[in-house]
Amino acid sequence: MSNDPLLQPFQLRHLTLKNRIMSTAHEPAYSEDGMPKDRYRLYHLEKARGGIAMTMTAGSASVSVDSPPAFGNLLAYKDEIVPWLRRLTDDCHEHGTAVMIQLTHLGRRTNWNKGNWLPVLAPSPIREPAHRAFPKEMEDWDIERIVADYADAAARMQEGGLDGIEIEAYGHLMDQFWSPATNRREDEFGGSLENRMRFSDMVLKAIRKSVGSDFIVGIRLVADEDWEKGLSRADGIDIARRLVASGTIDFLNVVRGHIDHDADLNNVIPIQGMRASPHLDFAGEVRAATKFPVFHAARIADVATARHAIAEGKLDMVGMTRAHIADPHIVRKIMRGEEARIRPCVGATYCLDRIYEGGEALCIHNAATGREALMSHDIAPANKSRRALVVGAGPAGLEAARVLAERGHTVTVLEAMGQAGGQINLLVRNPRRREMIGIVDWRLSELERLGVDIRYDVYAEADDVLSLDPDLVVVATGGFAQAPELDEGDDLVTSSWDILAGTAKPQGPVLLFDDNGGHPGMSAAELIASTGMELELVSPERFFAPEMGGMNHVPYAKAFAEKKVKVTINTRLKAVRRSGNGLTAILGSDYSPVTVERHVGQVVVEHGTQANADLFFELKPLSKNLGAVDYPALIDRRAPLIDRNKEAAFYLVRVGDAVSSRNIHAAVYDALRLCSLL
């Protein structure tokens, strides 16, 4: 038996959880037709293989037809979900991992133009800014049928073999009844707290009648909306105590804050640059006040904090949800004494941003997550060892070197700079994004363990490569900052890279033209704004930074609002001219021939990168595969390199921005997908 607090079992009524680490409910948007099919199942199964005590599915599963999916939610109101859940649960149970599901009616937190196009409803007709629908006020027959829907959905989950359910309250229909900010009713469901809890009491009693006493039922609730017009801390603890006293629930999963729009959501689910585990102490206060099992998750990303939460009695189960998206094998590594090998969650929140923008959850630097059907989180050894050379030590090159070394190849890395990291070394110049260096540090640690030889300050040319007599060459040389095409004045602009690197100082007033729509331009703008310099941010898009989701939008928008940055959309930089000691920027649009002028001290531009591919093209005619990759084979997970030049001695591929301007996840995915087959 281990003395580690995290590895102690927890008894939740009749259910024994084998350790204290869980993944709380979230929606990765891997569903198909509202069902948790193979992709969904394998994602949760990987965490079970990694040793987690409990994984919660859905975030949340809809109990009613008028709670349409906001982003790929499971449909708990359909009978066909039962066999899919049973297979998922059975697979996880084989590894001793408990499985629960989160159920909800979204209330006003969805849109009418999804699913069955039924009216959005809520306790009162108050619009939620985040989803923009104008809800109708629930009628008596709505309440009656939705209570029944909850009970029916719970019965389906029980039939699916799950260990229990969690009712989602915060920000959803139940909390919309509880909160005075969203409940203005004057009937028996409004006014006093007792009245505002009437709906949730009806639901929980109906669920208990449906599933009986031998099925775990918990609730995820906000115990303090941190909002003048919402639920206070005293209200939240009162609600928690009333729920406990009702005898209908088995655990509380505590949340703090409200989620009406992106800025509020960020306080509930913090991202990088924000305080880690900000609500942990508060969750401990709720546990002390209720003397009841309490779960909690909010950016508890490291094992030390999780261990502290359990050891100090703040929590009974600690949620490490985004941390398991980064590394589903956390518990297994703790048990092996390999905590230092846990791939860190760097708080980039690429996972959530993709969901809220209509994609699926992907980790910024673990490309296997969500792709378990195609590739393993454990790299398989190759049949034959090769001498592999990786040129470039940015995220693509480091990942390529890691994967090749795990495959058993002898790997050498050549890096032109004096340190690894590539463009990550630029982005961490924004103090708020310093945690991103974890992407580099973790890989350097892994390469040291694997015995990879990294040679710095080597600007590799073809002769350098050939002198090492490699069997395989991976070109990961990244890209160079490029400017947008202008009618004139290309030599008068400053790149966002120069601002981030500090090689160019802001000279106000500054006009920053972002023709990329992601973090690079926004980070440069944030750094300029932080100096107090007058700044106008210009974008040709309908809204700024369209390549970046709502979670990461918030800190930029906050900084721009506080520093009075002017944001101009639907506008394109056409030309730049000298004007006395300053510059004149000519601005136009894609919608009209009309142009306007801005007289500024500096024009900064962001237009992605141009591939640094000279070395690749020098080596291409000398390689066995002539640099070609068989894409159908790559996608089908077959050998992707074909001999086209049998006289040659090595195969050649390129990855990341050395191919084209993309992002960190694309670079890591390139390297993992290719190199795990080589």
Side-chain angles (χ1 to χ4, degrees), residues 138-198:
M138 290 174 67
E139 301 173 59
D140 51 359
W141 62 274
D142 291 316
I143 292 173
E144 181 180 338
R145 68 180 171 80
I146 290 171
V147 169
D149 286 345
Y150 267 104
D152 290 345
R156 288 187 195 94
M157 304 306 103
Q158 188 176 39
E159 186 182 351
L162 279 82
D163 297 285
I165 60 174
E166 175 182 85
I167 305 303
E168 168 69 300
Y170 92 97
H172 293 203
L173 187 58
M174 275 197 187
D175 179 60
Q176 291 161 29
F177 269 97
W178 293 346
S179 176
T182 48
N183 185 344
R184 311 279 174 80
R185 299 175 74 100
E186 296 180 355
D187 60 6
E188 67 270 30
F189 294 95
S192 68
L193 181 58
E194 182 179 0
N195 281 358
R196 285 182 276 130
M197 289 190 69
R198 192 179 304 277

Side-chain angles (χ1 to χ4, degrees), residues 390-440:
V390 177
V391 184
L398 292 174
E399 179 71 352
R402 181 189 74 87
V403 174
L404 291 170
E406 289 278 16
R407 296 272 285 159
H409 302 310
T410 301
V411 182
T412 301
V413 179
L414 304 182
E415 166 55 42
M417 305 299 290
Q419 64 182 125
Q423 292 176 54
I424 290 178
N425 292 326
L426 283 177
L427 67 88
V428 298
R429 296 295 294 267
N430 182 338
R432 191 175 53 75
R433 305 195 72 210
R434 284 175 182 162
E435 291 171 72
M436 295 287 279
I437 203 65
I439 296 171
V440 178

Side-chain angles (χ1 to χ4, degrees), residues 275-317:
R275 202 157 56 95
S277 54
H279 311 309
L280 175 57
D281 289 342
F282 174 73
E285 291 172 14
V286 176
R287 184 177 184 269
T290 59
K291 297 178 173 55
F292 201 67
V294 167
F295 305 168
H296 173 66
R299 205 173 176 227
I300 301 174
D302 63 284
V303 171
T305 301
R307 185 174 287 123
H308 165 77
I310 300 299
E312 296 300 315
K314 296 179 184 295
L315 304 178
D316 295 287
M317 294 292 295

Side-chain angles (χ1 to χ4, degrees), residues 180-480:
T182 48
N183 185 344
R184 311 279 174 80
R185 299 175 74 100
E186 296 180 355
D187 60 6
E188 67 270 30
F189 294 95
S192 68
L193 181 58
E194 182 179 0
N195 281 358
R196 285 182 276 130
M197 289 190 69
R198 192 179 304 277
F199 173 73
S200 56
D201 289 342
M202 292 168 63
V203 169
L204 291 169
K205 287 175 183 175
I207 286 173
R208 268 296 169 212
K209 184 176 180 181
S210 176
V211 300
S213 59
D214 294 330
F215 191 61
I216 301 293
V217 178
I219 189 165
R220 193 170 199 185
L221 77 160
V222 58
D224 177 7
E225 284 193 300
D226 194 22
W227 196 15
E228 287 182 4
K229 58 184 180 179
L231 292 167
S232 68
R233 178 186 181 279
D235 292 334
I237 290 179
D238 191 3
I239 289 172
R241 284 175 169 153
R242 288 171 183 246
L243 289 168
V244 170
S246 74
T248 55
I249 63 166
D250 300 306
F251 67 85
L252 302 168
N253 191 344
V254 176
V255 175
R256 189 181 197 187
H258 59 107
I259 54 176
D260 291 61
H261 52 74
D262 290 340
D264 296 325
L265 183 64
N266 265 41
N267 291 326
V268 175
I269 309 174
I271 68 170
Q272 62 185 208
M274 300 177 72
R275 202 157 56 95
S277 54
H279 311 309
L280 175 57
D281 289 342
F282 174 73
E285 291 172 14
V286 176
R287 184 177 184 269
T290 59
K291 297 178 173 55
F292 201 67
V294 167
F295 305 168
H296 173 66
R299 205 173 176 227
I300 301 174
D302 63 284
V303 171
T305 301
R307 185 174 287 123
H308 165 77
I310 300 299
E312 296 300 315
K314 296 179 184 295
L315 304 178
D316 295 287
M317 294 292 295
V318 58
M320 300 185 72
T321 308
R322 279 179 285 177
H324 272 83
I325 295 175
D327 191 337
H329 299 162
I330 290 173
V331 176
R332 189 173 77 180
K333 290 175 180 176
I334 294 172
M335 294 175 69
R336 291 179 177 177
E338 297 178 340
E339 284 182 33
R341 290 200 56 212
I342 294 172
R343 186 189 312 237
C345 172
V346 296
T349 317
Y350 187 66
C351 49
L352 281 171
D353 265 356
R354 284 187 54 83
I355 294 170
Y356 292 136
E357 297 306 307
E360 78 276 55
L362 296 172
C363 176
I364 195 167
H365 77 126
N366 186 348
T369 293
R371 298 187 175 104
E372 286 80 8
L374 302 174
M375 57 188 68
S376 174
H377 289 263
D378 294 313
I379 307 299
N383 294 327
K384 176 184 176 183
S385 180
R386 289 172 166 159
R387 293 185 305 279
L389 177 65
V390 177
V391 184
L398 292 174
E399 179 71 352
R402 181 189 74 87
V403 174
L404 291 170
E406 289 278 16
R407 296 272 285 159
H409 302 310
T410 301
V411 182
T412 301
V413 179
L414 304 182
E415 166 55 42
M417 305 299 290
Q419 64 182 125
Q423 292 176 54
I424 290 178
N425 292 326
L426 283 177
L427 67 88
V428 298
R429 296 295 294 267
N430 182 338
R432 191 175 53 75
R433 305 195 72 210
R434 284 175 182 162
E435 291 171 72
M436 295 287 279
I437 203 65
I439 296 171
V440 178
D441 290 345
W442 179 77
R443 285 173 172 79
L444 289 176
S445 178
E446 287 292 281
L447 295 186
E448 182 179 5
R449 177 182 64 83
L450 293 164
V452 172
D453 178 18
I454 305 179
R455 304 177 188 180
Y456 295 104
D457 297 313
V458 178
Y459 194 93
E461 297 181 345
D463 288 345
D464 300 304
V465 171
L466 298 175
S467 70
L468 294 173
D469 193 25
D471 302 311
L472 170 67
V473 178
V474 179
V475 174
T477 44
F480 298 118

